[in-house]
Amino acid sequence: MKYMGSKRTMLSNGLGEVLRAEIGKTKRFADLFSGSSAVAWFVAENFSCPVIAADLQSFAVCLAEAVISRDEALNPQSIWKRWSNEAEASARESDLFRDAELFGQVSWARARRRNVKDARNLCKESRNPITRAYGGHYFSPKQAILIDSLRATLPDDPVHRAAALAALICATSECAAAPGHTAQPFQPTKGAAPFLFDAWRRDVLARTKSALENICPRHALIPGKATVCDAEEFAKKLCKDDLAFVDPPYSGVHYSRFYHVLETIARGDCPEVTGVGRYPAPTERPKSDFSMQSKSKAALDKLLSVLAERNVRTIVTFPKEKTSNGLSGSTVQTVAQKYFKTSKRTVNGRFSTLGGNLSNRKARIPAYEIILQLHPVG
């Protein structure tokens, strides 16, 4: 799925090696900002210690839970057969479905703005959260109706449900008509319309099935747990036999601005939305001091002081250069040295530009990231 600052590349470029060196006889591995869950899944699948993961956003916790909470593979075919049949039947029962299908037969090149306006007018009449909030914007009417139906017919079995919900979140991320993240959807302008309608033609069912087939075989060696929680509060529950992984936000904008659509999928409901980005009210969106320039350094200082107080070995990753929340790799290292013995390595990474336009700005650019290994003093 599309995620800002994913550690997937770094796992094969230095981070995986550091994790193997540090994990030893670790009692638990704690991922304090689980995000895309790349690191939580990697540790759960490769090491015999339970992974406990936390994030402020529910969709991130859903992704982690889908793999780290079980120690057996699942059969994606049996889950998908029943789930997809129920979802398609539910979609076809919608009063809007027949009209939604007609939008897929329109020549978008001839009638961009009019048909997008018609799609939005159709969807705003829906009683279902995804269709009402995001249909005609991030998703075509048909896509939105199918996403709502898939969300409403998730399997009853908790283990199957966790895998299915994570698959739907991944598929939704892939189908969203947005430049990189879901901060704002593409608009039906001359330049952006091709990207909008390309995304609207993506097959929600096929992509959900594919994501489920990727998730189901994956599992932990020892089951763990994921929870929605602030990193500092989570750190207070750790002990000296744990190994913490800290990959804090680097954006000066709250991550909930980029992932509010996925958060709606995870929660299964959406309050009223406004604006071009279709945002819920600020009170409905998680906020982190790490995404505020005036508070990010103090938040980092407090978190590392708690981990040091509890004698928790810690691995920290962060971009080398100064980021939009005011922190840089050297700042992070300076704060860490107040509380820990530190060692550093620098590796190549990929840095998100928060959505590129394929001409003047790429979606992801090469960058350097630091990996700090922190050991308690004494």
Side-chain angles (χ1 to χ4, degrees):
M1 63 168 282
K2 298 179 286 189
Y3 192 80
M4 184 167 58
S6 172
K7 300 295 109 173
R8 191 170 291 108
T9 300
M10 285 182 66
L11 285 168
S12 58
N13 187 29
L15 180 56
E17 183 182 333
V18 170
L19 289 167
R20 292 183 189 280
E22 287 286 351
I23 208 139
K25 295 181 179 179
T26 296
K27 179 180 177 182
R28 296 177 302 181
F29 178 84
D31 190 345
L32 276 65
F33 300 88
S34 62
S36 71
S37 295
V39 173
W41 286 13
F42 174 82
V43 173
E45 290 178 289
N46 289 282
F47 303 102
S48 296
C49 69
V51 174
I52 53 175
D55 201 282
L56 282 178
Q57 300 196 91
S58 299
F59 85 88
V61 172
C62 290
L63 292 175
E65 190 80 13
V67 170
I68 70 173
S69 64
R70 56 184 168 84
D71 58 2
E72 291 182 347
L74 301 175
N75 183 337
Q77 286 74 31
S78 64
I79 296 173
W80 179 247
K81 183 177 181 180
R82 182 171 182 177
W83 181 28
S84 61
N85 286 342
E86 291 183 3
E88 287 190 79
S90 173
R92 293 187 183 280
E93 289 175 1
S94 167
D95 295 338
L96 306 181
F97 192 75
R98 183 179 177 83
D99 289 335
E101 286 193 306
L102 295 177
F103 279 93
Q105 301 169 20
V106 172
S107 173
W108 300 110
R110 292 201 308 268
R112 284 194 305 267
R113 293 182 182 275
R114 188 193 73 205
N115 286 285
V116 169
K117 182 179 179 180
D118 288 347
R120 293 175 179 178
N121 286 336
L122 175 70
C123 291
K124 71 182 182 181
E125 301 302 321
S126 175
R127 292 171 293 178
N128 295 317
I130 300 299
T131 307
R132 184 180 65 250
Y134 308 123
H137 297 270
Y138 293 99
F139 309 107
S140 73
K142 183 177 178 181
Q143 284 177 323
I145 291 170
L146 285 169
I147 292 169
D148 267 320
S149 296
L150 285 162
R151 183 61 179 81
T153 59
L154 287 168
D156 291 331
D157 179 279
V159 176
H160 293 181
R161 186 181 183 87
L165 180 53
L168 182 58
I169 289 169
C170 292
T172 300
S173 173
E174 291 176 2
C175 291
H181 312 290
T182 56
Q184 290 191 0
F186 290 119
Q187 298 301 313
T189 60
K190 183 177 180 180
F195 301 105
L196 171 66
F197 300 129
D198 174 69
W200 277 20
R201 285 191 291 268
R202 292 171 190 165
D203 189 330
V204 168
L205 293 172
R207 289 178 184 255
T208 305
K209 180 184 178 184
S210 177
L212 187 68
E213 289 171 343
N214 174 56
I215 291 168
C216 283
R218 308 181 71 165
H219 60 85
L221 299 182
I222 298 177
K225 185 172 178 57
T227 184
V228 176
C229 188
D230 172 77
E232 183 183 326
E233 292 304 311
F234 196 63
K236 292 175 182 178
K237 302 173 185 178
L238 303 183
C239 62
K240 66 178 182 180
D241 294 324
D242 296 328
L243 174 63
F245 177 68
V246 173
D247 178 48
Y250 62 77
S251 168
V253 179
H254 294 295
Y255 275 38
S256 56
R257 179 172 183 251
F258 305 109
Y259 301 107
H260 61 100
V261 176
L262 304 187
E263 193 73 357
T264 297
I265 303 294
R267 296 181 182 184
D269 196 14
C270 184
E272 289 301 310
V273 297
T274 58
V276 175
R278 311 297 291 161
Y279 302 121
T283 54
E284 299 289 338
R285 289 181 265 152
K287 297 178 178 63
S288 169
D289 285 352
F290 281 91
S291 290
M292 301 174 67
Q293 281 199 32
S294 61
K295 297 183 177 182
S296 59
K297 187 175 180 181
L300 176 68
D301 191 293
K302 182 59 176 175
L303 176 60
L304 293 183
S305 72
V306 170
L307 290 167
E309 225 172 76
R310 304 192 67 78
N311 290 305
V312 179
R313 288 177 300 119
T314 303
I315 298 170
V316 180
T317 58
F318 203 80
K320 181 180 177 182
E321 305 302 326
K322 187 175 181 179
T323 58
S324 61
N325 68 347
L327 298 178
S328 66
S330 60
T331 303
V332 172
Q333 184 176 11
T334 298
V335 173
Q337 286 172 336
K338 292 170 57 178
Y339 303 107
F340 293 92
K341 294 181 290 184
T342 68
S343 60
K344 182 184 83 170
R345 65 191 297 178
T346 304
V347 300
N348 292 325
R350 301 285 288 171
F351 192 92
S352 173
T353 64
L354 309 188
N357 57 19
L358 302 183
S359 56
N360 300 320
R361 183 176 65 166
K362 296 180 179 179
R364 302 188 75 80
I365 59 174
Y368 290 100
E369 295 216 27
I370 65 164
I371 303 174
L372 296 176
Q373 295 168 257
L374 311 182
H375 290 248
V377 178

